[in-house]
Amino acid sequence: MFCFFAEDTGLLPERLFERLVAARVAPAVLQAQLHKLFETMGAGGLFGVDAVPWFDGGLFANVDVPPLAEADVDALRAASTLDWSAIDPAILGTLFERGLDPDKRSQLGAHYTDPATILRLVEPVVQRPLRAEWAAARTVIEQAMARSKRHGDKAWRDAQAAFAGYLQRLERYRVLDPACGSGNFLYLALKALKDIEHQVNLEAEALGLQRQHDVTGPHNVRGIELNEYAAELARVTVWIGELQWRIQRGYGFRSDPVLQPLDQIETRDAVLGADGAPAAWPEADAVVGNPPFVGVTCRPPCARMPRPSPAPPRGWSHCAPAGSIRRSGPIACPRSFRSAWTVRPTRTASSPNPATRRISPGAR
């Protein structure tokens, strides 16, 4: 599917994949040619007479094309004639869910969350605080520009420094989904960050500052997912989503490589480590996502974790390992799709009994 998308957005030479699958060759020959193409996409170089970009990112790190039947080849040919350039990355979650046995689906908690519901969390948890920070930075910039007499003087440089400082904040911002599934929360959180950065650049330029190269990207997201297939889908969701955003906003593709690595989407348990102790989470500024499920019952991870305090209310506000949330960061899950929380570690990360406490209910 990524190859269909890459071909229709100009990342691959014109109709390269379509020409390849349309060749009237035995399925085994096509399998071998696909293997060569994927290896070339991983390292860059020539495939036949066509120059293929270096994609990297880890998508083609381990190439293993399964045996193809005639029906598989026919399906590839039919799919290659479609336009995949505007594919919605969110459908990967639906594909993952429908590919699971219904019993396994409930056990894994693989339940599709629609973009509108996700954005009801992303807006107050990610966008709103960052927009407030930009409003404060913009005030500083406006005051400095009011003092500026010419381009490049000290007041102008002060304004540019405030602008650059905010962009650095966006570059270093991290969003974590500790049960990321096929990556819809991460994709929409990244899109929100990039939308903010784009708007900030436009506003800064209107104030007389120099517009900067984009600094947000896949490096801004973190994920944990127990299912290996879902974790790989999450990476593809983020990659395609970011590439589509660049197309829609008129930004060029990155090159050498095209894709940023997404090793920070980890395949492991987010609740318990291999030794049975509570699992560590990567440091993040915000945590979003669906809480874990067991059967059809929503159960917070802390219900299965040692804790020094009485059982907390449902939700993730008590479950983030201490030290994983930078400063007083936001954390949210649908929890009946109504609430978001702000959390702060109550003990240091080195404490034997880390916990977090809820500060206040968020937007409903």
Side-chain angles (χ1 to χ4, degrees):
M1 188 185 68
F2 182 84
C3 290
F4 291 145
F5 170 79
E7 179 178 72
D8 290 337
T9 54
L11 282 166
L12 282 176
E14 185 177 4
R15 299 180 59 246
L16 173 60
F17 199 73
E18 182 179 352
R19 286 185 277 122
L20 178 58
V21 300
R24 295 296 170 178
V25 296
V29 175
L30 178 58
Q31 177 191 4
Q33 290 301 305
L34 288 172
H35 191 281
K36 291 180 182 178
L37 174 60
F38 295 159
E39 286 186 330
T40 305
M41 292 176 73
L46 287 176
F47 180 74
V49 298
D50 292 301
V52 174
W54 174 30
F55 283 84
D56 193 46
L59 181 58
F60 302 101
N62 299 298
V63 177
D64 183 17
V65 181
L68 301 174
E70 286 289 353
D72 299 324
V73 176
D74 291 340
L76 286 172
R77 287 172 182 154
S80 69
T81 64
L82 303 175
D83 183 358
W84 293 79
S85 61
I87 184 175
D88 182 359
I91 71 165
L92 295 181
T94 303
L95 294 176
F96 171 60
E97 183 178 341
R98 291 181 179 178
L100 292 172
D101 177 88
D103 293 335
K104 189 71 171 177
R105 186 186 310 162
S106 296
Q107 182 182 357
L108 290 174
H111 298 284
Y112 173 75
T113 306
D114 64 277
T117 298
I118 295 173
L119 290 174
R120 288 174 61 187
L121 299 178
V122 169
E123 194 281 325
V125 171
V126 176
Q127 292 175 291
R128 193 181 302 168
L130 287 174
R131 284 175 178 155
E133 290 182 32
W134 168 242
R138 178 177 172 133
T139 298
V140 172
I141 292 170
E142 290 173 335
Q143 292 171 348
M145 292 300 290
R147 300 191 306 271
S148 177
K149 302 301 182 182
R150 66 182 185 278
H151 180 91
D153 63 12
K154 183 181 184 304
W156 186 93
R157 293 196 304 272
D158 289 343
Q160 189 71 30
F163 174 40
Y166 183 78
L167 290 180
Q168 186 178 68
R169 162 70 167 147
L170 292 182
E171 183 179 18
R172 295 178 176 178
Y173 194 89
R174 298 294 184 268
V175 180
L176 169 67
D177 184 346
C180 67
S182 57
N184 283 353
F185 278 87
L186 297 180
Y187 150 60
L188 290 171
L190 175 57
K191 183 177 181 294
L193 286 175
K194 296 192 74 67
D195 284 343
I196 291 172
E197 181 189 11
H198 180 66
Q199 185 61 36
V200 163
N201 263 300
L202 293 177
E203 293 181 19
E205 189 174 35
L207 291 171
L209 299 179
Q210 292 178 345
R211 186 169 180 171
Q212 303 296 301
H213 293 293
D214 63 306
V215 297
T216 57
H219 68 272
N220 290 107
V221 300
R222 300 281 185 269
I224 303 174
E225 173 52 47
L226 190 59
N227 184 284
E228 184 176 0
Y229 177 54
E232 191 64 17
L233 281 178
R235 298 182 188 104
V236 174
T237 295
V238 171
W239 280 323
I240 290 180
E242 203 256 352
L243 291 170
Q244 281 188 334
W245 186 94
R246 302 184 75 83
I247 294 171
Q248 293 163 0
R249 295 295 189 278
Y251 287 76
F253 296 126
R254 292 188 174 92
S255 59
D256 299 326
V258 174
L259 305 176
Q260 294 183 12
L262 277 171
D263 298 333
Q264 68 270 22
I265 296 181
E266 306 173 60
T267 306
R268 63 178 176 88
D269 197 312
V271 178
L272 296 175
D275 59 356
W281 289 3
E283 189 179 68
D285 296 278
V287 179
V288 297
N290 276 317
F293 286 79
V294 175
V296 296
T297 303
C298 172
R299 296 185 59 191
C302 44
R304 302 189 298 280
M305 293 172 60
R307 56 182 180 275
S309 57
R314 291 174 64 184
W316 280 13
S317 56
H318 286 255
C319 304
S324 63
I325 309 298
R326 296 176 181 169
R327 300 179 299 169
S328 294
I331 179 169
C333 67
R335 191 175 180 262
S336 300
F337 311 122
R338 291 181 301 164
S339 299
W341 299 271
T342 298
V343 298
R344 179 183 297 128
T346 57
R347 301 168 190 258
T348 64
S350 60
S351 169
N353 294 307
T356 51
R357 66 185 178 91
R358 185 169 66 175
I359 302 302
S360 62
R364 291 181 180 270

